[in-house]
Amino acid sequence: QGQLAESGGASVQTGGSLTLSCAVTGDAVWSNCMAWFRQAPGKEREAVAVRYDITGTSYYADSVKGRFTISQDKTSSTLYLQMNSLRRADSAVYYCAAVKRTVCPFLAAPSTDYRYWGQGTQVTVSS
């Protein structure tokens, strides 16, 4: 079995920065498609960043492009999401997700395309 576990969520001020971590264990370590999703109250879960390990390519939602960075440390089996210039609209529960595929799901793909999920970590941005 594979597991993902997010950490690093916190309450921050507008304009601040925060880095989320996702520990990858078990079968999930063989995943080559990694992603960060978020879900705010009353909204659908949305992908904010995806990383395709084989190509080393990352993609971002327009709402976070230029402010968020997804990265992976394979040595420690950890996925990261660095968030800068945070806005109140960024407040949400953030989830990491992973799956092993020949062709990775693209940014707009359904969340059901990912096999492994973390429990989520809360990020709250306030003025």
Side-chain angles (χ1 to χ4, degrees):
Q1 297 182 352
Q3 295 182 3
L4 303 180
E6 306 94 340
S7 62
S11 295
V12 298
Q13 296 288 81
T14 298
S17 298
L18 195 64
T19 298
L20 305 182
S21 298
C22 174
V24 185
T25 59
D27 292 342
V29 301
W30 304 113
S31 301
N32 59 294
C33 313
M34 313 296 293
W36 282 97
F37 285 75
R38 70 183 182 187
Q39 186 167 25
K43 292 187 176 182
E44 298 294 323
R45 184 172 298 187
E46 63 173 344
V48 297
V50 298
R51 178 175 174 79
Y52 308 147
D53 186 58
I54 297 177
T55 61
T57 306
S58 300
Y59 297 91
Y60 302 90
D62 290 340
S63 60
V64 307
K65 193 174 300 181
R67 299 187 298 116
F68 289 13
T69 302
I70 185 173
S71 62
Q72 185 175 17
D73 185 337
K74 296 180 181 179
T75 301
S76 61
S77 299
T78 305
L79 182 72
Y80 298 97
L81 181 67
Q82 182 177 328
M83 305 182 291
N84 299 322
S85 302
L86 286 164
R87 308 163 181 171
R88 294 186 66 179
D90 294 321
S91 296
V93 175
Y94 284 73
Y95 303 86
C96 57
V99 68
K100 181 176 176 57
R101 294 278 187 81
T102 301
V103 178
C104 291
F106 56 95
L107 191 65
S111 60
T112 51
D113 285 359
Y114 292 88
R115 178 177 181 179
Y116 306 104
W117 290 86
Q119 292 295 105
T121 185
Q122 178 71 53
V123 173
T124 302
V125 184
S126 60
S127 301

